[in-house]
Each structure stands twice: as C-alpha cells, then as structure tokens.
Amino acid sequence: MKYLLLLPLVILLSSAGWRTDFEKSKSDAKSSHKLILLKFSGSDWCLPCIRMEKEVFGNDSFKKFAGSHLEMVNADFPRLGKHKLDENLAKQNDALAEKYDKDGHFPYTVLLTSDGKVLKTWEGYTGSKPAEYIAEISSFTNAN
C-alpha cells in the first residue's frame, strides 16, 4: 500500500532522463557514442517496477552515471485510464516488447548498442544496489 502512495512521485521521477522515442534515442546514442538502456515497466501497477525506479534509477549516482553513458528509453505499459498512452506510443512500446521482451516480464531492462543489439538483460528486480548496475553497465561502456 505504501508504494501506491509514492506512485505520483515515482511517475514524476521516471520522466527525468527517460525518453519515449526509441528511434530518436538510437540516433542520439549513435552520434554521442552511448549505449541504450531500455526498460519495460508498468509504472502504475507493477510494484517491483516502482521499487526499482525509486531505489536504482532514481538514485543520484545512477542518474549521474546514466547521463554520461546512456540514452535511456522507457517502454511503459500503464493500466490506469488516467495514465493511458497515446496510440502511437502504445504501438511503439508493443513493437519494442515484441522484439525485446517477448515473454512480457516486468520490470525488464535491456542494455543495447546504438544499433539495437542486445548486450545484457535484467529480468525482474532483486534488490540489487545502483552500484551493481553501474558496474555491470560500465563493463560494456568501457568496452564500447
């Protein structure tokens, strides 16, 4: 229940740094030599998604790291009518799920090259610390 009370804050935080236009993010990642972090979330119903947003992606050290190394894309699948996505964004997110998250896991996070090649995936949220995600992603950004 306490996570539902945090929901408006989480939705606000999730918009900071996260984009929704995947093709534009790919283009920007290519020109800036960054990787893409694509997250599949249910921002208004998935408690592990809400927790991961708050504890990892909302963490200052993660946000600082991501700003320098990643283009971040949020493929959200809200259920509440007041959070309904516009039709084009919903279609894009469905297409991204068909390509990168066929089994429909939530949360599901994918690290991609600027060409859309999968480098690493994270299924669910296990309570890992932001530093653990940073270290794992760094192994790819340093190799890139």
Side-chain angles (χ1 to χ4, degrees), residues 82-139:
K82 66 182 179 181
H83 299 137
K84 184 177 179 180
L85 304 177
D86 74 51
E87 187 177 335
N88 290 333
L89 183 55
K91 284 181 182 179
Q92 174 200 256
N93 290 355
D94 287 341
L96 289 170
E98 182 62 32
K99 183 170 185 174
Y100 295 110
D101 187 14
K102 288 183 189 244
D103 294 328
H105 298 290
F106 289 94
Y108 191 69
T109 310
V110 186
L111 184 65
L112 305 162
T113 66
S114 60
D115 294 327
K117 178 184 169 206
V118 175
L119 298 172
K120 168 112 179 100
T121 61
W122 294 267
E123 182 181 327
Y125 178 51
T126 60
S128 297
K129 303 291 181 219
E132 295 173 72
Y133 285 96
I134 291 169
E136 287 186 67
I137 295 169
S138 290
S139 68

Side-chain angles (χ1 to χ4, degrees), residues 22-83:
F22 184 69
E23 291 304 318
K24 175 77 170 124
S25 294
K26 279 175 55 177
S27 172
D28 290 350
K30 188 173 293 237
S31 65
S32 62
H33 307 287
K34 292 182 178 182
L35 297 176
I36 299 167
L37 191 66
L38 170 62
K39 74 172 176 175
F40 291 90
S41 67
S43 64
D44 64 3
W45 60 269
C46 172
L47 293 182
C49 299
I50 293 167
R51 209 174 137 218
M52 188 172 187
E53 181 65 39
K54 179 179 178 248
E55 296 174 9
V56 177
F57 301 134
N59 176 277
D60 288 339
S61 63
F62 185 87
K63 288 191 291 189
K64 183 177 177 184
F65 169 80
S68 300
H69 298 91
L70 301 169
E71 289 293 333
M72 301 186 309
V73 180
N74 182 23
D76 194 19
F77 293 83
R79 290 186 179 164
L80 298 177
K82 66 182 179 181
H83 299 137

